[in-house]
Amino acid sequence: MSLGTHHYALTTTWTGNRGTGTSGYRDYDRASTIGVAGKPELLASSDKPFRGDPSRWNPEDLLLAALSECHLLSYLHACVTASVVVLDYRDDASGTMQEDGRGGGAFTEVVLHPVVTIADESMRAAAEAAHAQANAWCFIANSVSFPVRHEATILVA
């Protein structure tokens, strides 16, 4: 297998200038548009506690979504290699971010709660083990400095 380096690019454009730029903390919107060539634009902002628009994606949402999606894709691959037939998958992910009191902060943990439906009871042990393999394979989980835990539920169709 060939090891490769992969590059990703996007454009983030601030769209929140109300006419006076950042002349004051309350004088501008936190709105932006994230674009990747050939994909729909993503409307973004800061989270509501940080004067953002709650109807738009915020960086914290996007980080949580990236971890959840990466685990899903890695998990499906792990299941295929272990001969586990997945029929359904849903993850209600949650994350905790702690402000540091100096204007910054960091995520302290993300917990994924995948509910996986498999085809047969005989696949249960392999389906459970596939979560650890998925975590080891997930590029995004391997890129963050906080724990990404998994509290999975396995159902049989």
Side-chain angles (χ1 to χ4, degrees), residues 22-71:
T22 58
S23 58
Y25 185 71
R26 299 184 192 305
D27 296 339
Y28 64 96
D29 283 336
R30 276 56 177 178
S32 63
T33 301
I34 301 170
V36 174
K39 298 179 184 180
E41 289 185 331
L42 185 64
L43 300 180
S45 182
S46 60
D47 196 11
K48 186 176 181 180
F50 308 107
R51 305 195 54 80
D53 181 343
S55 71
R56 291 175 170 238
W57 288 86
N58 64 58
E60 297 80 15
D61 293 334
L62 295 169
L63 178 61
L64 190 59
L67 285 162
S68 180
E69 178 73 4
C70 188
H71 186 79

Side-chain angles (χ1 to χ4, degrees), residues 24 37 53 69 72 82 86-87 95 113 131 151:
D53 181 343
E69 178 73 4
L72 163 66
V86 175
L87 301 175
H113 298 96
H131 285 288
E151 296 176 359

Side-chain angles (χ1 to χ4, degrees), residues 2-142:
S2 171
L3 298 179
T5 301
H6 305 272
H7 299 277
Y8 300 89
L10 59 79
T11 300
T12 300
T13 305
W14 176 50
T15 58
N17 185 348
R18 295 179 183 156
T20 60
T22 58
S23 58
Y25 185 71
R26 299 184 192 305
D27 296 339
Y28 64 96
D29 283 336
R30 276 56 177 178
S32 63
T33 301
I34 301 170
V36 174
K39 298 179 184 180
E41 289 185 331
L42 185 64
L43 300 180
S45 182
S46 60
D47 196 11
K48 186 176 181 180
F50 308 107
R51 305 195 54 80
D53 181 343
S55 71
R56 291 175 170 238
W57 288 86
N58 64 58
E60 297 80 15
D61 293 334
L62 295 169
L63 178 61
L64 190 59
L67 285 162
S68 180
E69 178 73 4
C70 188
H71 186 79
L72 163 66
L73 297 171
S74 299
Y75 182 77
L76 295 176
H77 179 67
C79 284
V80 166
T81 63
S83 299
V84 173
V85 178
V86 175
L87 301 175
D88 191 55
Y89 183 110
R90 176 187 169 103
D91 180 19
D92 291 315
S94 61
T96 303
M97 185 183 74
Q98 182 64 50
E99 292 185 66
D100 64 12
R102 298 183 310 267
F107 270 80
T108 57
E109 177 182 63
V110 163
V111 182
L112 306 179
H113 298 96
V115 176
V116 180
T117 302
I118 57 174
D120 190 83
E121 179 63 35
S122 65
M123 300 172 179
R124 181 181 295 276
E128 290 170 352
H131 285 288
Q133 182 63 65
N135 190 56
W137 284 344
C138 175
F139 302 131
I140 309 301
N142 287 315

